[in-house]
Amino acid sequence: MEMQKNGWGYLCEKSKKERKEILRQYAESYVEPAFEGYPELKGKIYLALRKNGFIAEYNPVYYIIVPENALNRYGHHVLRAITAHEMGHLLQFQNDIGKDSQSLWSEIQATMLSWERGFAKDFLLAYPENCNRSVCDGKEKHCYFSCNLLFDGCCRNCSEADMNIRAEKLERLAEEYKIDDEINVKEIKERIRNMFIDNKNE
C-alpha cells in the first residue's frame, strides 16, 4: 500500500501505471475536495480499481473501490455525491457501524452523513445530471432515494434557488441525527416528503 501526500493512497502498489493514473485523476477531483467535509479521514483512505461498482471496505485498511469507467460514465455531481456516500461508510466503520453487514438503514445513514458534511446539493443535482429519461416517471434513484420523494415533478425543472432550499433542508435534517442513531427509514422518508410539501407551499 502506498499513501500519497494529499491524504489518500493506492491500495495496490503494483498496479499498472495507467490504472494508477485513473485513480489519481479521481482522487484529485473527488476524494481530495471531500476531505473538507471529512477531515478525520485524510491520510487514512486507500483506493483501488475494479470493473464495476463503488464499494467501501475496512479490512485491512479503509479503502474505496472505484469502477474503472467511473470518470467517463458519471457526471461531476454524481461522482461527488457517491464519493461522499462511500466516505460516509468509512466514517461508519471508524465507529464500528456496518462492519458485519450493510443494511438499508446504514446505507441511508451514509447518505445522510454526506448531507451533513456539505454534499446535499451535489446529491440533489445528481438526479437531473444522471437521468436520461425523455419523460419523467419519478423513478430515478440515487443513493437509495427515489426522485419522486425529493422533487414535485421533473427534477430538471427545479431552479437553482429551489435546489439550494432543498439542500439546506436536507442538511438541517441530517444534523438532527448522531452517527450512532439507528435510522428509521420509513420515518426519514416521511419527514422528507413532508418537508418538501412545505417547500412547495412556500
Side-chain angles (χ1 to χ4, degrees):
M1 289 173 284
E2 182 184 344
M3 180 60 68
Q4 304 298 295
K5 64 181 180 180
N6 293 335
W8 60 274
Y10 297 107
L11 185 66
C12 304
E13 292 181 34
K14 296 181 180 179
S15 292
K16 292 181 179 179
K17 184 177 179 180
E18 57 268 27
R19 294 177 71 80
K20 284 189 171 182
E21 177 60 19
I22 293 170
L23 288 175
R24 183 194 65 77
Q25 291 178 22
Y26 168 74
E28 287 184 355
S29 296
Y30 300 103
V31 177
E32 290 177 23
F35 285 140
E36 185 174 343
Y38 294 91
E40 63 269 66
L41 294 177
K42 190 170 184 179
K44 298 178 181 178
I45 293 181
Y46 291 85
L47 302 174
L49 280 184
R50 67 174 236 176
K51 190 173 182 179
N52 296 307
F54 278 92
I55 301 174
E57 295 287 354
Y58 65 91
N59 189 19
V61 292
Y62 297 127
Y63 66 95
I64 296 173
I65 293 174
V66 181
E68 294 172 351
N69 64 347
L71 295 174
N72 297 320
R73 179 178 178 183
Y74 300 108
H76 176 70
H77 296 292
V78 173
L79 285 172
R80 277 178 58 85
I82 291 176
T83 301
H85 174 91
E86 298 304 333
M87 290 173 80
H89 280 310
L90 297 183
L91 203 61
Q92 289 174 328
F93 298 153
Q94 277 196 343
N95 288 270
D96 293 321
I97 297 167
K99 283 187 171 182
D100 296 328
S101 63
Q102 293 294 312
S103 62
L104 180 58
W105 80 259
S106 65
E107 293 291 354
I108 294 293
Q109 185 193 55
T111 299
M112 291 179 68
L113 283 168
S114 76
W115 300 345
E116 181 194 5
R117 299 302 179 104
F119 295 89
K121 189 173 180 181
D122 289 291
F123 165 79
L124 291 170
L125 289 172
Y127 286 89
E129 183 176 76
N130 197 54
C131 183
N132 56 14
R133 292 167 173 80
S134 57
V135 178
C136 178
D137 60 6
K139 294 181 179 178
E140 180 71 15
K141 202 166 189 178
H142 179 65
C143 288
Y144 299 87
F145 287 91
S146 295
C147 63
N148 61 6
L149 181 70
L150 302 156
F151 302 98
D152 31 274
C154 181
C155 63
R156 285 170 288 204
N157 296 331
C158 198
S159 68
E160 184 173 358
D162 193 31
M163 284 287 191
N164 288 335
I165 291 169
R166 291 170 189 271
E168 288 171 9
K169 288 190 173 189
L170 291 178
E171 187 173 330
R172 287 200 302 269
L173 174 67
E175 287 172 351
E176 295 180 25
Y177 293 86
K178 297 177 182 178
I179 195 167
D180 54 356
D181 289 340
E182 186 161 333
I183 301 295
N184 183 313
V185 176
K186 186 177 180 180
E187 175 190 296
I188 289 294
K189 290 189 174 183
E190 190 61 30
R191 289 193 65 186
I192 292 171
R193 184 176 288 108
N194 290 336
M195 266 193 334
F196 291 148
I197 288 173
D198 293 341
N199 190 69
K200 188 175 181 180
N201 295 330
E202 286 177 359

